[in-house]
Amino acid sequence: KMFPRFQTRALFFSLLLRRQTFAITMPDIPLELLATHANAYASANGIQVERRKKDDPASAYYECAPMSLLPNAYPKEAFAQAQSVATAFNELVDRVSRDSEFLEKTLGGGVAEHDPFTAKILSLYKEVYGNKDSVAHTADRLGIQRSDYMLHASGEGEPYRLKQVELNTIAASFAGLACNVANLHQYLTTRFQPEIEEYLLTNQKVVTSSTESAPGVPENPALSRIPAAMKMAFDRYCQKFSDGDSSNKIVLFVVQEGETNTVDQRMLEFRLFSDFGVPVVRMSLTKASTEIVVGDDGSLKLGDREIAVVYYRAGYAPTDYPDGDDGIEWKARLTLENSRAAKCPSLGYHLAGTKKVQQELARPGVLERFFPKEEEKEMVENMRSAFAGLYSLGDDAVPEDIDAVQAALGGKDGQYVLKPQREGGGYNFYGAQLKEKLNENTSKGSDGSLKLGENLAEYILMQRLFPPQQRAVLLRSGKVEGSGDSVSELGCYGTVVVDPMGEVVHNEYAGFLLRTKFSNVDEGGVASGFATLSSPYLC
């Protein structure tokens, strides 16, 4: 599937569609022309990632971010569904974050016993919010979430429907780059419309039978709405604690040492200042441990400046805490949480985004715990319709969960994914590796029943989704990596600001991200090297 850079050729391939194989001939596209324009546009508009020189790690350079040359066909009805349910998931995260009994019951058993990282987050959550006198109870909550979806058909001839892969509540990245990629794809599909029309139409037929005129690539508001939500949290802090005076107030971006996705982060930083005049300071947890203190009044101080909002683009993985379980990074995380600054996310929001919580929320009747009112029924139904099959592997497993494990062991391992409580990509088990992992941690009881090993408790089993495959040309480091069958995952951003009493003061859909990868690649992270940035071509 590899071919020389910028070579133009007709694309022939076999496409797996509705679990049947069809031979499809793709029309010619002016590949060299498109790739040249894409690279030039990317350079001119900051669609880039930072790289470090191997012989001089202190020196950095920038190269084109991984991206799809053209947008991917996407049903407009599914896109609208993802937009409409964003605010419901925003509110769900907040309500879950305030239910300590639910979080303790869901995460405090087998998950905490076998996953030290989640156990530590839960421990800090209980330490801070279990103390009624903690100043953290006076802080607003800021949520910048991204709910990720795949299209999935339940059977041959069935339409594709939206199914949730995961809900990201910490460091939901690529909002900035996604906006510029959408602008790139709007430019290419307009500028070269006659040359690529047949190509786009061929892909559209894969995802929809609609013959209506395609709306094309939609506007992406992420780069305006996410900074606006930060600004709202910032303003509320200034009003509550300094009579509106913002003269020495800042937003803290908690980042990783050696971060390469700096351009995406800087876009938010620069937009926050250009639109609202709000300054940002970037700092790792390691550095924060020695430079940030909490005042007697609960204020976070960085020298003579006061931190109004803490925005995490790090802290979601054990590698962000190199000093160990009781090290300086964890102490810094506790210091930041134990303050009156708005956190994005708070510890509770962080826990609400774990895979185990996602699985538990999918059980019958659990959403109603958080949305018990009659007028909230439609909201519950809309969220539940997006859930995929999710199964517990802990001591709370029910017969339905055991049946799913038995199916995976019985030859249907390709229909499931084994997922730990981790963010960032690269941690999941698929196919033969999934089956091997389950075999190593299951046994038969004296009555012949399947017994789950305790080491499985930190995982969940998820129905594997089979999105439509369509042709794509992917670029990496500014070069054409190849062309081939691809699948895509849609992310919808949502922003929410909630006061200390749980009153929602801001809640909206905040933009989108589409990631595309070749269909023979299991994992899907862009930063982890598996996928590329793309855009939906609504049809």
Side-chain angles (χ1 to χ4, degrees):
K1 294 180 180 180
M2 298 298 292
F3 51 88
R5 186 183 183 190
F6 302 153
Q7 181 177 348
T8 303
R9 56 163 55 174
L11 305 176
F12 299 89
F13 69 110
S14 293
L15 178 64
L16 180 66
L17 174 62
R18 303 295 200 278
R19 303 198 178 108
Q20 293 187 26
T21 302
F22 301 89
I24 296 180
T25 301
M26 293 298 291
D28 289 337
I29 58 173
L31 185 57
E32 181 177 358
L33 181 63
L34 291 170
T36 300
H37 275 258
N39 272 303
Y41 190 101
S43 296
N45 291 275
I47 307 176
Q48 297 179 321
V49 291
E50 184 178 339
R51 297 289 185 235
R52 299 284 175 173
K53 294 181 179 180
K54 292 182 179 180
D55 58 347
D56 183 12
S59 298
Y61 64 97
Y62 296 86
E63 66 181 23
C64 181
M67 63 184 185
S68 178
L69 179 62
L70 291 169
N72 298 83
Y74 209 89
K76 59 181 181 293
E77 297 84 3
F79 184 79
Q81 181 188 352
Q83 288 179 298
S84 66
V85 80
T87 54
F89 279 117
N90 286 344
E91 197 158 348
L92 175 63
V93 168
D94 184 75
R95 295 187 186 189
V96 169
S97 77
R98 296 170 188 271
D99 193 332
S100 58
E101 180 183 359
F102 173 81
L103 289 173
E104 174 64 27
K105 181 180 179 182
T106 303
L107 299 171
V111 173
E113 290 175 13
H114 298 282
D115 180 5
F117 181 74
T118 302
K120 184 68 175 182
I121 298 290
L122 182 62
S123 174
L124 294 184
Y125 169 80
K126 291 189 291 185
E127 179 179 344
V128 174
Y129 295 99
N131 177 7
K132 294 182 180 180
D133 297 325
S134 172
V135 71
H137 288 293
T138 68
D140 284 350
R141 273 75 159 177
L142 169 62
I144 299 174
Q145 274 103 231
R146 194 188 70 228
S147 185
D148 293 337
Y149 304 94
M150 279 186 171
L151 296 171
H152 179 74
S154 58
E156 181 182 335
E158 293 295 317
Y160 285 108
R161 302 188 185 282
L162 200 71
K163 293 296 176 183
Q164 188 181 58
V165 176
E166 62 183 355
L167 180 58
N168 302 277
T169 60
I170 181 170
S173 59
F174 292 114
L177 292 181
C179 287
N180 285 354
V181 171
N183 293 338
L184 162 67
H185 287 155
Q186 288 175 347
Y187 165 74
L188 291 177
T189 55
T190 303
R191 172 69 174 78
F192 300 103
Q193 190 270 339
E195 292 89 343
I196 64 175
E197 181 177 18
E198 190 177 353
Y199 178 96
L200 295 173
L201 184 60
T202 302
N203 275 342
Q204 290 172 44
K205 292 177 180 177
V206 174
V207 302
T208 181
S209 59
S210 174
T211 58
E212 296 179 8
S213 177
V217 179
E219 292 295 325
N220 193 343
L223 203 47
S224 59
R225 293 189 180 181
I226 290 176
M230 292 181 182
K231 169 63 170 172
M232 175 171 283
F234 181 88
D235 284 347
R236 285 180 54 82
Y237 180 93
C238 295
Q239 288 293 337
K240 286 196 297 181
F241 300 116
S242 59
D243 295 324
D245 179 18
S246 62
S247 57
N248 69 330
K249 310 300 188 299
I250 62 171
V251 172
L252 176 71
F253 278 24
V254 179
V255 299
Q256 294 173 330
E257 301 278 0
E259 173 67 66
T260 60
N261 194 27
T262 53
V263 175
D264 180 64
Q265 298 171 6
R266 292 286 190 180
M267 286 179 178
L268 297 176
E269 174 187 342
F270 299 154
R271 193 64 178 266
L272 190 56
F273 191 81
S274 64
D275 285 3
F276 307 111
V278 175
V280 166
V281 172
R282 297 166 55 85
M283 187 175 293
S284 68
L285 284 169
T286 303
K287 192 174 181 181
S289 67
T290 59
E291 298 198 17
I292 295 176
V293 296
V294 179
D296 293 338
D297 57 357
S299 61
L300 273 181
K301 293 295 183 64
L302 175 61
D304 60 355
R305 292 172 292 182
E306 187 173 337
I307 299 169
V309 178
V310 179
Y311 172 54
Y312 286 94
R313 289 296 290 259
Y316 54 84
T319 51
D320 291 328
Y321 304 84
D323 199 36
D325 286 348
D326 296 313
I328 57 176
E329 291 84 16
W330 282 115
K331 291 177 181 177
R333 182 76 186 265
L334 180 60
T335 296
L336 297 176
E337 193 76 21
N338 237 333
S339 73
R340 67 190 191 187
K343 270 75 65 175
C344 180
S346 66
L347 290 168
Y349 277 38
H350 190 162
L351 292 170
T354 57
K355 307 300 186 296
K356 178 61 181 177
V357 167
Q358 180 188 6
Q359 172 261 305
E360 187 63 23
L361 290 171
R363 288 200 188 280
V366 176
L367 282 179
E368 285 80 1
R369 174 187 180 119
F370 301 100
F371 296 92
K373 298 178 181 179
E374 182 69 24
E375 60 267 27
E376 296 173 326
K377 277 189 175 181
E378 184 177 357
M379 190 183 299
V380 168
E381 291 170 2
N382 290 339
M383 285 188 285
R384 183 166 287 138
S385 69
F387 288 154
L390 295 160
Y391 309 97
S392 173
L393 300 179
D395 54 13
D396 61 339
V398 298
E400 182 184 8
D401 302 322
I402 301 297
D403 290 345
V405 176
Q406 288 178 323
L409 290 171
K412 295 184 178 180
D413 48 277
Q415 296 182 19
Y416 297 92
V417 182
L418 187 64
K419 306 178 77 171
Q421 316 300 314
R422 284 290 178 274
E423 302 295 338
Y427 300 102
N428 298 335
F429 291 83
Y430 301 84
Q433 288 185 326
L434 178 152
K435 187 173 182 178
E436 181 182 359
K437 185 74 172 180
L438 292 179
N439 268 321
E440 291 173 352
N441 292 279
T442 55
S443 60
K444 291 283 185 166
S446 57
D447 59 353
S449 62
L450 185 69
K451 303 294 183 183
L452 303 178
E454 60 180 21
N455 289 334
L456 287 177
E458 65 174 297
Y459 297 87
I460 66 164
L461 194 64
M462 180 177 173
Q463 171 193 10
R464 188 166 187 178
L465 305 176
F466 294 95
Q469 299 185 39
Q470 54 188 289
R471 197 63 170 184
V473 179
L474 306 185
L475 282 71
R476 199 172 295 274
S477 302
K479 300 177 181 179
V480 175
E481 181 181 31
S483 73
D485 304 346
S486 71
V487 295
S488 296
E489 183 173 316
L490 175 71
C492 267
Y493 296 98
T495 57
V496 64
V497 179
V498 189
D499 77 7
M501 302 305 296
E503 183 72 24
V504 177
V505 296
H506 165 87
N507 187 9
E508 70 175 354
Y509 156 75
F512 62 83
L513 162 73
L514 195 76
R515 287 167 293 178
T516 297
K517 62 183 180 181
F518 289 129
S519 57
N520 61 352
V521 177
D522 287 327
E523 294 285 0
V526 175
S528 48
F530 301 108
T532 63
L533 298 167
S534 189
S535 306
Y537 190 85
L538 302 185
C539 53

